[in-house]
Amino acid sequence: MIVEMRRGAAKEQVDQVIARAHKNGCEVQLNIGTDKTVVAILGSDTGRIPTELFAVLPGVESVTRIMRPYKLASREFKDEQTLVHIGDIVVGGPQLVIMAGPCAIESHEQLLKTAQHVQKAGATILRGGAYKPRTSPFSFQGLGETGLGLLDDVRQKTGMPVISEVTDPHHLDGMVGQVDVLQIGARNMQNYSLLRAVGQTGKPCVLKRGLAATVTEWLQAADYLLASGESQVILCERGIRSFETSTRFTLDISSIGVIKQSSHLPIIVDPSHAAGHYQLVPTLARAAVAAGADGLLIEVHPDPANALSDGLQSLTFNDFTRLMGQIGAIAAALGRTM
Ligand code: PEP
Ligand code: MN
């Protein structure tokens, strides 16, 4: 249930709403906007509470039941677009934010060379996995802490903020100081203890869509982060499982529009994991930008043929530079900057 306060409602009036929610066994979350406060009344059983219970309180403008199963990520709760700040970079505004780098951090040289190249081509955030959630336990699992150290070094050398995947809440202590954006992978979208732990860090995070998750389930996962105190959440569409086998996953372009309608959170697209093949990555990347994505997350490797993970879908430096030129033209046509 969403309680919208009148413009200029006094703090005591908001407190009264909160007290009534608590008295009825509900939790609350506040959205203090520039001109009005919105109170989300949260609980498994809010359906039994009559809206009048809040509507009669002084300072309340309206009370709306949310029929959707997600609340905090919804536009009913917060209509104004969320802007996620990563250093000087803003995700969700007019700037199209490009995050690029290798699937996995393999060596200092590999990471530094890639960072310098993607930065020169216009990417502003460096990606690199230290902990890799591989489908097979026999595949390369990432360099772990050593990888984080390399990432931190390259981050300092280039001045680029970095994004890296967290697969286990126990790794968070080591990651919060060295990583600017925490990535929650598709396989962990419904790992609720991980979501809560990441949410409590308050650090910007990217929440990938699960391999077989509906948009609603994805936004419910975002609610876990938001309910844990996180406000800096970026959604990432990376393709879903379908009957089609010619791509690794099917990129759901329509989810960009659906998210824009139903949520205030920014959405970026990862064309690499959807395509599964370097030749298809540019097509999906261009489509995502044209459809209104707020950014892209792209795998780039100095020598894809010898990459330790996801070489087939990784772009070479030249291919990435060419793609950046095309994306720049699409962004400009849409009135976006890069
Ligand atoms: C990745 O970004 O390298 C990754 C493992 O992605 P996903 O979780 O989308 O499969
Ligand atoms: Mn990968």
Side-chain angles (χ1 to χ4, degrees), residues 103 127 132-133 165 183 185-187 208 238 270 273 299:
C103 176
R127 69 151 284 155
K132 294 306 302 174
E165 178 165 353
Q183 176 177 324
R187 288 155 191 81
K208 287 205 166 187
R238 45 80 71 213
D270 170 352
H273 289 84
E299 288 185 341

Side-chain angles (χ1 to χ4, degrees), residues 114 119 148:
T114 311
Q119 186 173 40
L148 287 180

